[in-house]
Amino acid sequence: MATTLRKPAPAVTTPAAGKPRTGVRKYWHLYAAISPFYLLFLCFGLIPVGFSLYVSLHRWDGLGSMEWAGLSQYQYLLSDSDFWTAVGNTLVIWALATFPMIFLAMVTAVMLNSAVRFKNLYRFAYFLPNVTSVVAIAIIFGSVFSTNFGLVNALLQAVGLDQVAWLNTPWGIKTAIATLMTWQWTGYNAIIFLAGLQTIPGELYEAARMDGAGPVQTFFRITLPMMRPVLLFVLVVSTVTGLQSFSEPQVLLQTTSNDSTFAGGPGHAGQTMVLYFFQQTFDNNDFGYGAAVAWGVFLVVVLFSIINWRLVQRRGED
């Protein structure tokens, strides 16, 4: 008997109760939960940054009316010898502080990674300088590097060497500031390196020992290549923080707004870029040029961060 095919019955549709909510309307409560961060970032981040760019195009003493200056302040910045002196001082201090700090932090991390007892105590002790007030640290280091009663000169005299006027000579000032920054950030970066060391599989070290590799070969052939991303992070962060040093020379050299001509110590040897920005803005009440200096500092920091990132990445590719 032949069978007949029947058409499927049409689907019964019912009117929708309402248009379904999508996007912001559907997840409004989630956006509301994270909105405080973005509102605060907008008020205290983006708006001040945009306003500083606007101020840099004007002459303004902070109280009176603004006068349009265009790019003239940036043109003066390029020819400002004091600004370029501050750039040179900052780069020298950064180099004197960053490379010894990274070396000491790596050595400290390796020792902490191999320690068996009191690991948490060692980590706390090495991290403590980073959470200590920079002002307090600078005051202590000012006493340590004092010419007549400082601990460093006392040690030099104990071994038969002459005293050094650390805070009155250009290289002494830079060395003192760099030593302070090294002491402050070594423990922090050691903890970062330690976290990276603990992610390296132990099987790699066991295979290296079975192949007869010594500790030095193991470090340069396994540890250092595996730590390259962490090293890149530490180097970039150290560049950003080091090139923005302000509290260290400000407190160590006891510069105040009442003595702007002495900013950075004798010969302005310790005048960093941010300290120069502070002097121009708050000592000279030149907010327009101070904003231009701030953007100059930003460009220098970005440039050297990119250079360091590219150097480490290129070595990683090689």
Side-chain angles (χ1 to χ4, degrees):
M1 184 175 63
T3 59
T4 59
L5 297 177
R6 295 182 179 181
K7 295 182 179 180
V12 179
T13 60
T14 58
K19 187 178 180 180
R21 293 180 299 174
T22 59
V24 177
R25 293 180 58 190
K26 183 178 181 180
Y27 302 104
W28 68 269
H29 56 287
L30 300 179
Y31 288 107
I34 64 175
S35 62
F37 167 79
Y38 292 100
L39 292 176
L40 292 175
F41 179 72
L42 176 66
C43 295
F44 299 100
L46 290 181
I47 292 178
V49 168
F51 183 69
S52 68
L53 181 61
Y54 176 78
V55 171
S56 68
L57 302 176
H58 295 77
R59 295 184 179 90
W60 187 42
D61 60 0
L63 295 175
S65 59
M66 295 185 181
E67 178 184 352
W68 175 257
L71 298 177
S72 60
Q73 299 192 116
Y74 289 98
Q75 294 175 351
Y76 178 75
L77 180 66
L78 295 176
S79 60
D80 187 359
S81 59
D82 292 334
F83 172 73
W84 291 111
T85 299
V87 172
N89 292 338
T90 304
L91 293 178
V92 171
I93 294 172
W94 168 79
L96 291 175
T98 301
F99 297 110
M101 178 267 297
I102 291 179
F103 172 77
L104 293 174
M106 180 65 76
V107 172
T108 303
V110 172
M111 291 190 299
L112 288 175
N113 193 41
S114 61
V116 178
R117 303 178 60 185
F118 308 113
K119 283 187 176 182
N120 294 330
L121 178 61
Y122 293 145
R123 295 173 186 176
F124 171 77
Y126 282 111
F127 192 77
L128 184 62
N130 185 253
V131 298
T132 306
S133 171
V134 179
V135 176
I137 296 174
I139 293 175
I140 294 174
F141 269 76
S143 301
V144 170
F145 284 97
S146 175
T147 302
N148 297 323
F149 307 102
L151 178 62
V152 176
N153 279 337
L155 294 176
L156 292 177
Q157 286 184 320
V159 296
L161 299 177
D162 297 331
Q163 291 184 344
V164 177
W166 294 102
L167 302 181
N168 292 303
T169 58
W171 277 102
I173 290 173
K174 292 181 176 63
T175 302
I177 298 174
T179 303
L180 189 158
M181 295 172 62
T182 301
W183 183 85
Q184 181 186 7
W185 291 101
T186 295
Y188 171 83
N189 290 312
I191 300 300
I192 301 298
F193 282 140
L194 178 62
L197 288 173
Q198 293 178 345
T199 61
I200 301 177
E203 293 81 2
L204 297 178
Y205 293 107
E206 294 179 2
R209 284 193 294 267
M210 293 179 62
D211 291 338
V216 177
Q217 291 179 320
T218 301
F219 177 79
F220 285 101
R221 296 296 180 88
I222 297 178
T223 303
L224 200 57
M226 296 293 292
M227 288 286 292
R228 184 169 284 109
V230 182
L231 181 62
L232 174 61
F233 169 80
V234 170
L235 184 59
V236 172
V237 171
S238 300
T239 300
V240 173
T241 56
L243 294 181
Q244 297 183 75
S245 57
F246 168 74
S247 300
E248 297 86 353
Q250 174 77 354
V251 180
L252 185 62
L253 302 173
Q254 298 180 358
T255 56
T256 63
S257 59
N258 296 326
D259 191 10
S260 61
T261 59
F262 195 72
H268 303 285
Q271 188 177 58
T272 61
M273 294 186 294
V274 179
L275 188 57
Y276 183 66
F277 152 76
F278 179 86
Q279 177 191 358
Q280 295 297 318
T281 305
F282 299 103
D283 291 349
N284 298 340
N285 293 324
D286 193 349
F287 284 77
Y289 185 63
V293 172
W295 279 97
V297 174
F298 170 75
L299 293 178
V300 171
V301 172
V302 170
L303 176 62
F304 276 87
S305 299
I306 294 175
I307 291 175
N308 289 328
W309 180 76
R310 289 297 301 167
L311 288 176
V312 176
Q313 285 292 97
R314 182 174 299 178
R315 292 189 176 184
E317 294 173 358
D318 295 341

